[in-house]
Amino acid sequence: SMKCEVLGGSFRSSAEVVASAWQYIFSQSLLVVFLLAQMAPVFCEMWLQEGVIFAVRRLALQLLTLAPVMFIFQAKIIG
């Protein structure tokens, strides 16, 4: 198997390096940023049209029903 040198001079297999990279990319903090960036335009539009209370309620409803997760799942199924 291939070995990759990482910081500190130690060697790990390439699979371990790729797995740790994917773990960093899909960590919880990045997922939160992605979800907020995805919902920000809808939130702002609702805020302008209906008011901040309606926008917060709608955003909370989307999060409670896991609508963003369903969207990601549909995108993976289709694409």
Side-chain angles (χ1 to χ4, degrees):
S1 75
M2 295 180 61
K3 298 284 184 181
C4 297
E5 185 175 3
V6 294
L7 293 175
S10 63
F11 288 91
R12 297 189 329 188
S13 71
S14 57
E16 289 175 334
V17 172
V18 171
S20 64
W22 279 112
Q23 182 179 6
Y24 174 76
I25 290 170
F26 290 109
S27 66
Q28 292 177 352
S29 61
L30 187 61
L31 182 62
V32 169
V33 169
F34 172 75
L35 289 176
L36 290 177
Q38 181 182 1
M39 293 181 178
V42 173
F43 177 77
C44 291
E45 186 66 29
M46 296 268 187
W47 185 0
L48 291 173
Q49 289 183 2
E50 303 291 336
V52 69
I53 294 173
F54 182 81
V56 169
R57 190 179 307 148
R58 179 71 177 160
L59 182 67
L61 181 65
Q62 285 183 345
L63 290 175
L64 288 174
T65 60
L66 299 176
V69 176
M70 183 62 179
F71 176 75
I72 294 169
F73 179 72
Q74 285 176 340
K76 288 190 174 283
I77 294 290
I78 292 171

